[in-house]
Amino acid sequence: MIILGIETSCDETAVALIASENGTDIAVLADKTLTQIELHAQYGGVFPNMAKREHAKNLVPLLKEILKETGFLKLKVKSEELKVEEDVQTMLAREPEMLDAFLKFIPTIEKPTIDAIAVTEGPGLEPCLWTGINFAKALSLVWNIPVIPVNHMEGHIFSALLSRKNEISNSPNYLISNKNPKSEIQISNGEAISYQLSAISYPSLSLLISGGHTELVLIKSEGEYEIVGQTRDDAVGEAFDKVARLLGLPYPGGPPLSALAERARTNADSTQTDAEKIRLPRPMIHSNDFDFSFSGIKTSVLYLTKKLPALTDNIKREISLEFENAVTEVLLAKTKAAAERYGARTLILGGGVVANAHIRREFEKMAVELNVPLHIPEKTLTTDNAPMIAAAGIARAGKAGSFETESLRAKGNLRLGAKLTNTLL
Ligand code: KG4
Ligand code: ZN
């Protein structure tokens, strides 16, 4: 089965082609992401309508690239008008930046051997989600293939379960399943990365930390989710971004802030004169539930920066270090408490903040302590990406018989499951 994955929930336009015969061995045949970080950096955050326009401009060229790269692009001998052109016009009426490119390109190519399209339906920025969904719907209509709606957060969970089997292979032929020679898929000049979907024991506990979300999700069995904890205000990534801004660091703030923290952490010569005074709160660390709150730390940093006579490089490094420590300690404490409370047999980390080296290391230590396996996405799969959406789509396709494309809509506040009110007790 070949799946086209599409992700447009925030500021990354991502498309990927993945192949899997059994739902477990997964080959990423092509994977392209265009990030809009630089565009939004000047405003210090993502502008939904600007992001939407970018997605609309990017999707057709990105599709063309991945089809070309995988040898799936076959030009028609004679280009003919789309039979469903009017319907496509209606579907893409709100995507003027895409419509023209779509109508110029799609009618010129043979239907590729793609079996289904997996697209993010939510959560995320609704205008952005709509662009991906409308694109998926239009392709589905022209090629007569189903669209599988995917929850973005479930995608992040799958990103952690994709464990790499090989380094990039440059072989022109890629064998999808060596058990069944007939499943060989020919890819001219293709580069494929093959993954194995890790099998996990249930219940499993997943901590999802990104710019928009901070959630502790209990996975009771395959596809059965319950939210046991979440942030009451800022998401972890958002807190990193806001504190970084207070320190005069560029957007998104996570990477530069964690680089400063890492330098302070490894800098044995650090004099710590001013820095010794720096102490930030660990909000809700002892609360009787699994919820989080990060806006207080940001406010503390704000007061601190106002109080300090100067934001020297040394102080910036020490604030970064203390901030990263405070956030990590809260994440660890809550995850540990929830893992013990629910008897988690696997731990999963997902989301952009998982790129953070300190957080990765500390969770690795905790997993050893708890004696449970920990699944962390490889670095390239921490940020929003399309392979994770396609992989989650394969799992959904295996469960549900068919999908209703007509009623598919963007769901900005889509949740993975009900929020449990259970506490530590
Ligand atoms: O998952 P993601 O790419 O997009 C959302 O769905 O939000 O996450 C982006 C967030 C940003 O807030 C960014 O600052 C943060 O992840 N981030 C980091 C690091 N790399 C990215 N936060 C802390 N440490 C990092 N190394
Ligand atoms: Zn995300």
Side-chain angles (χ1 to χ4, degrees), residues 67-194:
L67 291 179
K68 234 192 214 165
E69 229 175 57
T70 48
F72 279 54
L73 185 76
K74 301 253 163 24
L75 290 177
K76 277 185 182 157
V77 181
K78 196 169 147 279
S79 173
E80 37 193 283
E81 250 188 42
L82 286 182
K83 289 190 191 77
V84 289
E85 182 170 330
E86 252 180 57
D87 294 327
V88 169
Q89 301 245 17
T90 314
M91 243 170 215
L92 299 183
R94 295 194 173 190
E95 318 294 340
E97 296 85 356
M98 184 196 294
L99 181 62
D100 197 39
F102 190 100
L103 291 177
K104 272 200 181 116
F105 174 59
I106 300 298
T108 66
I109 61 166
E110 298 283 353
K111 175 187 167 182
T113 48
I114 295 173
D115 300 291
I117 303 167
V119 66
T120 306
E121 64 169 335
L125 303 169
E126 254 177 42
C128 298
L129 291 163
W130 269 120
T131 304
I133 289 173
N134 286 333
F135 182 53
K137 280 184 172 185
L139 289 177
S140 147
L141 183 73
V142 177
W143 293 339
N144 193 23
I145 52 175
V147 180
I148 309 163
V150 171
N151 182 311
H152 181 81
M153 304 315 285
E154 188 172 32
H156 276 302
I157 290 175
F158 272 80
S159 74
L161 301 181
L162 288 171
S163 75
R164 199 185 270 235
K165 286 200 293 191
N166 68 336
E167 287 308 312
I168 294 173
S169 83
N170 282 311
S171 80
N173 299 332
Y174 187 71
L175 195 65
I176 297 303
S177 160
N178 45 17
K179 282 189 211 119
N180 176 9
K182 282 197 192 123
S183 70
E184 193 180 42
I185 293 181
Q186 307 275 333
I187 305 154
S188 54
N189 307 319
E191 290 185 355
I193 305 180
S194 72

Side-chain angles (χ1 to χ4, degrees), residues 270-289:
S270 168
T271 53
Q272 296 243 327
T273 41
D274 302 309
E276 276 165 1
K277 298 178 205 125
I278 294 168
R279 177 76 189 163
L280 295 171
R282 273 73 175 149
M284 293 182 71
I285 196 161
H286 299 301
S287 71
N288 196 19
D289 55 23

Side-chain angles (χ1 to χ4, degrees), residues 152 156 210-212 237-238 240-241 252-255 258 351-353 355-356 382-384:
H152 181 81
H156 276 302
S210 68
E238 193 180 355
F240 267 91
D241 295 341
S258 62
V353 182
N356 185 287
T382 55
T383 37
D384 292 346

Side-chain angles (χ1 to χ4, degrees), residues 247 249 257 259-278 304-305 308 310-323:
L247 300 182
L249 301 172
L257 192 150
L260 284 188
E262 205 64 12
R263 271 172 59 197
R265 207 176 287 290
T266 51
N267 185 4
D269 306 328
S270 168
T271 53
Q272 296 243 327
T273 41
D274 302 309
E276 276 165 1
K277 298 178 205 125
I278 294 168
L304 198 63
T305 53
L308 288 166
L311 266 183
T312 62
D313 286 349
N314 186 42
I315 289 179
K316 280 187 194 175
R317 280 198 292 273
E318 297 300 332
I319 292 177
S320 301
L321 177 65
E322 171 63 4
F323 171 77

